[in-house]
Amino acid sequence: MGRLFWKIFLCFWATLLLVGGAVGIIVWLQNSKRINELELLVNNPRAEMGVAAIANALRYGGEAAVKEIQNNQKSRHIHNRPVQRVLIVNDNDQDLLGRPVPKATIERARLALNTPEQGATQQVVSPSGKRYTLFVPQTMSRPFRRTAFSGPPIPPLIVPFVASIIFSAWLAWYLTRPISLIRKGARKLAGGALETRIVPDLGGRKDELADLGKEFDDMAAKIGRLLNDQQRLLNDVSHELRSPLARIQLAIELSRQQPARKEELIGRIEKESERLDLLVGDLLTLSRLESQSMQHPATAVDIKALIADIAEDAAFEAERRSVSLHVACAENLITQGHQELLHRALENCVRNAVAHSPQQGEVKITANAAEGKIEITISDQGEGVPPEQLEALFQPFVQFNPQSHHSGYCLGLSIAKRAITLHHGTISAANQKAGGLSVSISLPSHRRQRW
């Protein structure tokens, strides 16, 4: 058990004890007071006979005679003996046999001496000259009321005492168990066990601690995905870098063996160097977007003008491949952000659509405003993407058609996704019923961002 368990346990237990003890004492005191206030004198023939017998013994035999009667009755085990039922109180409010006497009862008995109807109350002077008042209180005439003069009921308090311990321990365990599970899970996660999950161990809890456990599992899953993506990215980057480097090394070796092809091989080296430079640049851009370390002032960006500029540049490549480009944009499509990043994101999507369109195909770009958002759609007439792999389309180095004529390094859509996300927008892809892929982008309209 951890320190938090004992803190919660002791706090709840102490609180229960204090509250329970205080309530118990108050109730006991209140009941004792009420019992004392309800003391009544017994006035019936039997009580009168008992008082008369003790009065005669006290009047003629004195205190010793009363005590002797008491001893005889004790030795003979006589039940309901008169001497035990009759209180013998002197002027100092003390009983001759040392029994506790409620003050309210004494006052009632002395008042009854002036009432002729109260025959069960007498005042006697003993041979020693002491004056005693004799009476039978109601509480002492009934066996079940003999506990009226006893102290607090200590034995019954043991049950709530034990119950408070059990309840406090259970409550402390119930509250601290999810925290202990999260702590153990964090240790396992830090040790490399990325499959660690704690929600199954929480049972059917439906509270904030269960929500915390779910958040922990979501965090663990996200960390696992990030590490897996990072490992895959490193493997992909290594592979992508190795290919142009191998071709460069081959070209250098051939230039040494075949000097006559030197110019041709230098051109190949330059081309592969440009590819390496493009790849490294894309990787740096992707890394910065992932870490959101690109700090730029937010400015108003005209999406229609941006798309028109991108379409004009893409038209050359589209014309070379006999692909038609159609643009339909609404007016006043203004968002807040970084123009170069948005340009890069939209350009990558458009170039990807053009590159994967068939000969004589068509690429459509539409942009409209809807409910405070700018909705942009870029669709082509290519082969599309397998439905189960649509979500992976925006991951680095994902290419579903190895025979594609597209010469990029499959980083364009990854960069686009990070850039759009950085602008608090969304990007998704879906296959069209008529064939081809449609990329949908949503950006906030007229919203200032912090960069």
Side-chain angles (χ1 to χ4, degrees):
M1 299 297 181
R3 290 171 293 177
L4 182 59
F5 170 87
W6 290 111
K7 288 180 180 179
I8 295 176
F9 169 74
L10 292 176
C11 286
F12 275 102
W13 186 43
T15 302
L16 287 175
L17 286 181
L18 291 175
V19 173
V23 171
I25 291 174
I26 293 173
V27 171
W28 174 73
L29 292 175
Q30 184 67 19
N31 288 340
S32 298
K33 182 179 179 181
R34 292 182 63 189
I35 289 174
N36 292 334
E37 290 177 350
L38 292 175
E39 296 289 354
L40 297 175
L41 302 180
V42 178
N43 187 26
N44 55 43
R46 185 177 180 181
E48 291 181 5
M49 291 177 60
V51 170
I54 300 302
N56 289 330
L58 181 62
R59 183 180 295 113
Y60 300 108
E63 291 87 350
V66 175
K67 293 180 179 179
E68 184 178 356
I69 294 174
Q70 179 190 29
N71 294 332
N72 291 335
Q73 290 178 350
K74 284 184 178 180
S75 62
R76 296 177 184 177
H77 304 286
I78 299 176
H79 298 286
N80 294 328
R81 44 195 181 270
V83 72
Q84 289 288 38
R85 297 174 59 243
V86 179
L87 291 179
I88 309 166
V89 181
N90 59 23
D91 291 340
N92 295 326
D93 296 344
Q94 295 177 348
D95 181 66
L96 177 62
L97 301 179
R99 294 166 295 184
V101 183
K103 186 175 181 180
T105 306
I106 297 174
E107 294 177 354
R108 182 69 60 87
R110 288 172 178 164
L111 289 174
L113 292 174
N114 300 322
T115 305
E117 294 82 8
Q118 194 75 23
T121 304
Q122 294 188 27
Q123 192 172 69
V124 178
V125 178
S126 68
S128 62
K130 294 183 180 180
R131 186 172 55 184
Y132 294 92
T133 302
L134 283 65
F135 57 92
V136 178
Q138 184 72 25
T139 54
M140 297 194 69
S141 68
R142 298 180 184 179
F144 66 86
R145 298 291 298 273
R146 291 175 184 172
T147 59
F149 302 103
S150 61
I154 299 299
L157 292 179
I158 297 177
V159 175
F161 178 80
V162 175
S164 66
I165 294 178
I166 296 175
F167 173 75
S168 298
W170 174 83
L171 185 60
W173 172 84
Y174 183 78
L175 294 176
T176 58
R177 180 172 177 267
I179 300 176
S180 299
L181 291 175
I182 293 174
R183 182 182 179 185
K184 292 178 182 178
R187 287 180 177 176
K188 291 181 180 179
L189 191 63
L194 301 180
E195 72 283 357
T196 301
R197 301 294 184 271
I198 66 172
V199 168
D201 295 331
L202 293 177
R205 292 182 68 119
K206 301 289 184 181
D207 53 21
E208 288 77 4
L209 290 175
D211 294 339
L212 180 61
K214 184 177 182 301
E215 294 294 334
F216 176 88
D217 284 358
D218 292 343
M219 177 193 69
K222 186 175 182 179
I223 291 176
R225 288 194 299 269
L226 289 175
L227 291 178
N228 291 334
D229 291 345
Q230 183 184 47
Q231 185 63 41
R232 185 176 62 81
L233 180 61
L234 289 174
N235 294 336
D236 292 341
V237 169
S238 299
H239 173 74
E240 294 294 340
L241 289 175
R242 187 179 292 112
S243 297
L245 286 175
R247 289 191 289 268
I248 289 175
Q249 291 175 351
L250 178 61
I252 293 174
E253 187 64 27
L254 289 175
S255 66
R256 291 173 179 172
Q257 297 176 3
Q258 303 176 19
R261 299 179 57 192
K262 184 176 181 179
E263 292 298 326
E264 175 189 351
L265 295 173
I266 289 176
R268 167 60 64 178
I269 292 174
E270 289 179 348
K271 183 176 181 180
E272 296 298 336
S273 298
E274 291 175 357
R275 288 182 176 178
L276 279 176
D277 182 66
L278 177 62
L279 175 59
V280 172
D282 286 345
L283 287 173
L284 288 175
T285 300
L286 182 62
S287 176
R288 290 170 182 168
L289 289 173
E290 287 282 6
S291 62
Q292 297 187 0
S293 61
M294 301 185 71
Q295 305 296 324
H296 300 287
T299 59
V301 179
D302 188 339
I303 297 298
K304 181 179 180 181
L306 193 64
I307 291 177
D309 185 46
I310 293 171
E312 184 179 354
D313 293 338
F316 292 102
E317 183 177 352
E319 184 179 358
R320 185 170 64 251
R321 301 192 57 256
S322 300
V323 175
S324 58
L325 196 64
H326 297 277
V327 179
C329 295
E331 300 291 338
N332 299 321
L333 300 180
I334 308 297
T335 188
Q336 292 288 332
H338 185 252
Q339 183 162 342
E340 291 300 324
L341 286 181
L342 290 174
H343 186 282
R344 183 75 174 272
L346 295 176
E347 182 184 35
N348 288 346
C349 294
V350 172
R351 292 186 62 189
N352 182 76
V354 172
H356 290 85
S357 291
Q359 294 286 339
Q360 307 300 323
E362 182 182 54
V363 173
K364 293 182 179 180
I365 306 174
T366 61
N368 296 285
E371 299 181 357
K373 300 284 186 178
I374 299 176
E375 305 293 343
I376 304 171
T377 303
I378 302 169
S379 57
D380 59 53
Q381 296 177 337
E383 298 178 1
V385 175
E388 66 276 6
Q389 296 177 334
L390 281 172
E391 292 186 3
L393 186 62
F394 298 96
Q395 298 297 324
F397 298 107
V398 174
Q399 187 173 9
F400 301 104
N401 184 9
Q403 307 300 325
S404 174
H405 46 266
H406 183 48
S407 59
Y409 291 97
C410 309
L411 290 174
L413 292 181
S414 298
I415 292 174
K417 180 176 177 61
R418 270 56 172 191
I420 296 300
T421 302
L422 194 61
H423 284 79
H424 301 276
T426 59
I427 182 171
S428 60
N431 290 315
Q432 302 181 94
K433 293 182 179 180
L437 186 72
S438 175
V439 176
S440 300
I441 299 173
S442 178
L443 291 169
S445 178
H446 297 287
R447 179 177 179 179
R448 293 200 170 272
Q449 314 291 345
R450 292 184 178 179
W451 296 80

